[in-house]
Amino acid sequence: MLSRLLRNDEPSVYVQAAWEDVADEALPRPRLREGLGASHLKVSTRVPLAQAWFDQGLSLLHLGWGSEARRAFAEAARHDPELAMAWWGLALTRGPGARFAAARAEAMARALALSEGLPDLEQRYIVAASLLSDKGPANGRHAFIREMESLIDRYPEDVEAKLLLAGFLVDGYEPDGRPGQGQPYAQAMLRDLMRTSPDHVGVHFAWVCATLPSSRPEAAHESALRLPRLAPGASPALLASGRLLSRLGETDAAYRVLEAVVETDDAYLAAESLPASFAPCAELAMRLLSQGCAEAGQYSDAQTWARRLRQRVESAGAEPQALLFAASTLVSTHLRFGFCRAAADVPLELSGELSAAERGLRDGLRLYTRGINAMDAGRLSEVERACDALALLHAPLSELRRAEGRQLCPRDVARVVEVAEQELRGALESRRGDGGRAEATLVRAWRMERRLRTAGPSAFSRPARETLARARLRGEREQKALELARALVEERPACGHYRLLLAETHVAMGERVLAVQDFERFLERWRDADEHLPELRRARTYISGRGRILRLVHTAEAPPPVPPDFRSLEKVSC
């Protein structure tokens, strides 16, 4: 999908992409593979293998797997150096940013030079791509769209052209929920393509990607179920399926698909004798598996996936950026369950010279976890010092130049650190009883959290809205807390932590019947949870009729002595 290749839309665990420093002619030879879909566009070649390799490159292009698509197009060019469309594919898959501008321009120049005398359809494809190559995805956007619209108008039966344009137009949603530029147009085209080409892998993949961040992800449910059957060998397709199923609350199905992502990538690496850093999706799948286990109350399994991720990146060369992504995954796992000391004890020793962004992310992780640990121990002056240090950390990072390619961007790190600082400060203000100031600070953290770029590091702090809901409970603003809790449950229906928050909100409001219902739903979400977790004991104790003490979650007063089963309740209000 062009939007994935021309814009850095996914978090980059590793600094370098596969073969990005290798010239097109020197790329290692790939294999013709099954399970990638069956895209086909007849091109001007008398070499059957060149056509086969071009079609494989086109399938991979639709899936956004740029490095493998590039290898396939390069192999097509080896079999037929005069195949202009092979050079077209090489230009489109070279990667975003100024760093590869010369390589893109060279491939595009070859395609244009070879296009003379070709059929009109191929010439139109090449001219449209040349507009992107010359001006870049931003400046050449309008011209590319107009040229592709002309092509589609002239050749209305060309599925591949429609899909390329739709894949280019998929642009996500803004923080306030409004669709990005071209998003409704892309979705309209994809709906039509699903009707006319119901077995095209690229169509279902693009549809899942287009609807995943929307308020209606259920619209792509059928596509998410079909992708593993249509493209079992394409881990990007499996990853998209797993993400959407997870968003819809189908935890077991999502877990199986995300596990298949790791297995498929490992099989690919073994068959090609490649290092772990060349896997397209395994690391992100592991992060999502850790998150999914945490939402289901499987603390041990969540840690296992986070530690497997760290072992994997260490085996790939232990780049500081990759180690930091793995460390933040483990930190988030501990914090998700309120184990603040374990989060603070996650090792962050890094060797070699670090970039400003890497130092900032490492120091931000350290400061935040120390602050959370101090909060848990009631050392509020230490928490304030951690907040102040975080504030001093993110300001200079935001002034640095944006990084190119997959390298960690200082500005992205600055945003993540600022969210952590605001969330921690809001929790501190709430603990001190300053409800109005805590509300304003946490709303600010929530708004900043919504604006984090998906391509940057994920937020390692606790969800700002969850902290805000608990601050409102502490300030006896139960109705406002209820609104937030309901919104969180609606967005992540499989997340037991949000269902628990909703139950505790009903407890604070004195609505025992609703509280019991939500506790029972929470226990259903956590039916396979680690049995030692205190959240399970709280829920069962309340349902059994001994749960009035849970009203203390919203008060700012010191509680009376509590029985052992409720000692973990202190974590709820931190």
Side-chain angles (χ1 to χ4, degrees):
M1 194 169 69
L2 278 179
S3 63
R4 290 166 60 92
L5 298 180
L6 300 177
R7 297 187 295 274
N8 189 18
D9 287 338
E10 292 293 337
S12 302
V13 174
Y14 299 108
V15 173
Q16 286 193 311
W19 302 295
E20 67 178 16
D21 292 328
V22 179
D24 294 334
E25 295 83 355
L27 286 169
R29 308 193 77 150
R31 304 179 179 190
L32 283 172
R33 297 169 55 194
E34 300 292 331
L36 300 177
S39 298
H40 176 68
L41 176 63
K42 182 172 175 54
V43 291
S44 298
T45 180
R46 297 181 179 180
V47 183
L49 273 177
Q51 177 70 64
W53 280 113
F54 177 84
D55 286 341
Q56 179 160 308
L58 188 59
S59 293
L60 292 161
L61 178 65
H62 288 318
L63 295 174
W65 192 350
S67 58
E68 274 300 305
R70 187 169 158 243
R71 286 176 76 195
F73 287 129
E75 190 66 14
R78 287 193 188 103
H79 284 277
D80 184 356
E82 304 300 308
L83 177 54
M85 288 296 286
W87 297 99
W88 166 88
L90 286 168
L92 285 178
T93 56
R94 199 48 172 102
R99 180 181 173 191
F100 304 112
R104 286 196 303 270
E106 181 181 352
M108 201 71 251
R110 293 283 296 272
L112 287 167
L114 293 169
S115 66
E116 186 175 353
L118 290 182
D120 178 67
L121 175 64
E122 293 176 65
Q123 290 197 39
R124 288 176 181 271
Y125 269 108
I126 293 169
V127 169
S130 71
L131 298 171
L132 285 179
S133 179
D134 291 344
K135 300 180 180 181
N139 296 330
R141 176 186 177 87
H142 179 71
F144 173 77
I145 292 172
R146 292 295 295 142
E147 194 65 34
M148 289 299 295
E149 286 175 335
S150 297
L151 187 160
I152 293 167
D153 182 68
R154 183 72 178 269
Y155 301 96
E157 302 304 317
D158 190 336
V159 172
E160 309 300 336
K162 293 178 182 178
L163 183 53
L164 283 170
L165 179 56
F168 176 79
L169 290 168
V170 170
D171 199 24
Y173 287 79
E174 297 177 11
D176 62 1
R178 290 184 297 175
Q181 184 181 9
Q183 180 81 354
Y185 184 12
Q187 290 185 349
M189 294 179 68
L190 290 170
R191 287 191 190 94
D192 182 63
L193 284 170
M194 284 193 297
R195 180 180 56 81
T196 60
S197 305
D199 295 325
H200 198 301
V201 171
V203 173
H204 290 286
F205 176 78
W207 180 239
V208 169
C209 292
T211 51
L212 179 63
S214 76
S215 60
R216 302 177 306 280
E218 64 278 1
H221 182 245
E222 180 60 30
S223 291
L225 295 177
R226 297 194 67 182
L227 278 174
R229 298 195 297 268
L230 293 172
S235 58
L238 300 178
L239 182 69
S241 172
R243 293 175 82 168
L244 190 120
L245 292 172
S246 177
R247 172 86 194 276
L248 293 177
E250 299 187 18
T251 307
D252 294 340
Y255 190 96
R256 289 193 298 270
V257 174
L258 291 171
E259 268 196 317
V261 172
V262 180
E263 294 168 0
T264 300
D265 272 3
D266 285 346
Y268 158 72
L269 296 177
E272 299 276 355
S273 300
L274 297 173
S277 60
F278 280 41
C281 301
E283 287 78 9
L284 180 53
M286 286 180 172
R287 296 173 73 192
L288 293 171
L289 281 163
S290 181
Q291 175 187 318
C293 289
E295 290 185 347
Q298 297 162 7
Y299 179 48
S300 299
D301 289 344
Q303 290 184 81
T304 298
W305 282 111
R307 292 195 169 101
R308 279 186 61 181
L309 173 59
R310 186 178 181 99
Q311 292 167 0
R312 188 182 186 94
V313 301
E314 286 175 344
S315 71
E319 292 177 0
Q321 179 168 313
L323 287 173
L324 285 167
F325 272 70
S328 66
T329 302
L330 188 54
V331 166
S332 298
T333 297
H334 292 313
L335 291 179
R336 180 70 276 187
F337 292 90
F339 296 125
C340 307
R341 182 173 298 177
D345 289 341
V346 172
L348 292 172
E349 293 77 16
L350 302 173
S351 59
E353 186 176 352
L354 305 183
S355 68
E358 289 165 346
R359 285 196 305 274
L361 185 55
R362 179 200 61 190
D363 294 346
L365 274 167
R366 282 177 172 167
L367 289 167
Y368 180 80
T369 52
R370 287 173 187 169
I372 287 291
N373 199 32
M375 179 88 72
D376 194 47
R379 301 190 300 269
L380 301 190
S381 60
E382 289 185 30
V383 181
E384 186 166 11
R385 287 196 293 273
C387 291
D388 293 341
L390 285 166
L392 290 174
L393 183 62
H394 68 70
L397 285 170
S398 63
E399 300 298 324
L400 296 177
R401 293 181 58 184
R402 179 173 295 282
E404 289 192 3
R406 297 160 60 91
Q407 191 170 12
L408 198 58
C409 180
R411 296 182 183 181
D412 288 342
V413 174
R415 293 187 184 100
V416 169
V417 171
E418 188 174 11
V419 167
E421 180 254 321
Q422 291 289 297
E423 189 274 334
L424 184 60
R425 193 179 297 277
L428 173 63
E429 291 163 348
S430 175
R431 176 66 70 89
R432 286 175 167 170
D434 193 346
R437 181 172 294 180
E439 174 100 7
T441 302
L442 290 168
V443 167
R444 188 159 53 248
W446 169 23
R447 289 173 178 168
M448 289 189 296
E449 192 177 65
R450 290 194 303 174
R451 287 173 169 78
L452 293 178
R453 285 201 325 139
T454 56
S458 58
F460 50 78
S461 53
R462 300 169 301 184
R465 274 190 294 173
E466 187 173 351
T467 307
L468 175 59
R470 297 200 181 281
R472 286 173 171 174
L473 287 178
R474 180 180 287 275
E476 303 189 20
R477 300 186 65 204
E478 292 92 345
Q479 190 59 44
K480 286 291 186 181
L482 182 64
E483 292 173 9
L484 274 182
R486 283 174 171 166
L488 289 167
V489 168
E490 184 177 348
E491 288 179 19
R492 302 291 300 183
C495 181
H497 299 277
Y498 293 157
R499 181 64 68 175
L500 179 65
L501 172 64
L502 184 59
E504 291 174 341
T505 304
H506 282 133
V507 171
M509 299 176 75
E511 297 175 344
R512 177 171 174 78
V513 174
L514 293 176
V516 168
Q517 290 175 357
D518 283 316
F519 274 127
E520 289 174 342
R521 290 169 183 154
F522 159 72
L523 291 173
E524 172 59 25
R525 299 289 187 277
W526 277 29
R527 60 186 179 276
D528 298 319
D530 294 4
E531 194 60 34
H532 71 278
L533 292 173
E535 291 88 343
L536 295 173
R537 294 198 298 274
R538 286 212 305 279
R540 290 166 181 162
T541 301
Y542 187 87
I543 290 172
S544 69
R546 296 182 291 113
R548 286 179 296 171
I549 196 167
L550 281 171
R551 275 190 64 84
L552 294 172
V553 75
H554 79 282
T555 70
E557 302 172 358
V562 296
D565 280 353
F566 290 98
R567 293 193 185 279
S568 61
L569 185 60
E570 296 170 6
K571 295 185 299 183
V572 174
S573 57
C574 75

